[in-house]
Amino acid sequence: MFVFGDLIIAIAKIVDTLLEIYKWVIIIAALISWVNPDPYNPIVRFLHAVTEPVFRPIRRIIGYRLGPVDISPMVVILGIMFVKYFIIQSLIEVAYKLKGGIAL
């Protein structure tokens, strides 16, 4: 069980890091959308390709905009925070208990 606990901790920390990177990608995409970006810019195309598949279902559920503000990035960031602070943290605590140690 000692190795299994370490494996769970490693996977949880990798997922945590990937979610943090994606959160910053969302923030950058939202900031760039405030100005009129060049749609042929490779960075803008990359940000659009990475974020739109996640934003699209949220926009369908809650509507595209709430007044003049597109709130789909905020909803995604709240979802990321939920996963990071509840699910991943709980997974790490379970892994430490499997190892027989104290959770950090």
Side-chain angles (χ1 to χ4, degrees):
M1 285 302 192
F2 182 75
V3 175
F4 185 65
D6 285 338
L7 178 67
I8 291 173
I9 292 169
I11 291 170
K13 290 191 178 196
I14 288 171
V15 171
D16 183 59
T17 302
L18 292 173
L19 286 172
E20 187 68 26
I21 291 169
Y22 193 69
K23 180 177 82 172
W24 282 104
V25 167
I26 290 171
I27 291 170
I28 292 167
L31 290 174
I32 287 178
S33 72
W34 291 352
V35 296
N36 194 9
D38 177 19
Y40 298 107
N41 185 323
I43 295 172
V44 173
R45 293 180 100 166
F46 168 75
L47 292 173
H48 184 74
V50 172
T51 57
E52 278 306 309
V54 177
F55 292 162
R56 197 173 301 120
I58 294 171
R59 287 180 182 144
R60 266 186 268 151
I61 293 170
I62 61 174
Y64 182 66
R65 294 182 179 269
L66 182 67
V69 179
D70 180 11
I71 63 168
S72 56
M74 290 181 267
V75 172
V76 173
I77 288 174
L78 287 173
I80 288 172
M81 289 173 60
F82 174 78
V83 170
K84 284 181 61 151
Y85 296 125
F86 182 71
I87 297 174
I88 291 181
Q89 194 63 32
S90 299
L91 191 61
I92 289 173
E93 288 179 16
V94 167
Y96 275 114
K97 288 179 183 175
L98 282 175
K99 287 176 57 172
I102 300 173
L104 296 175

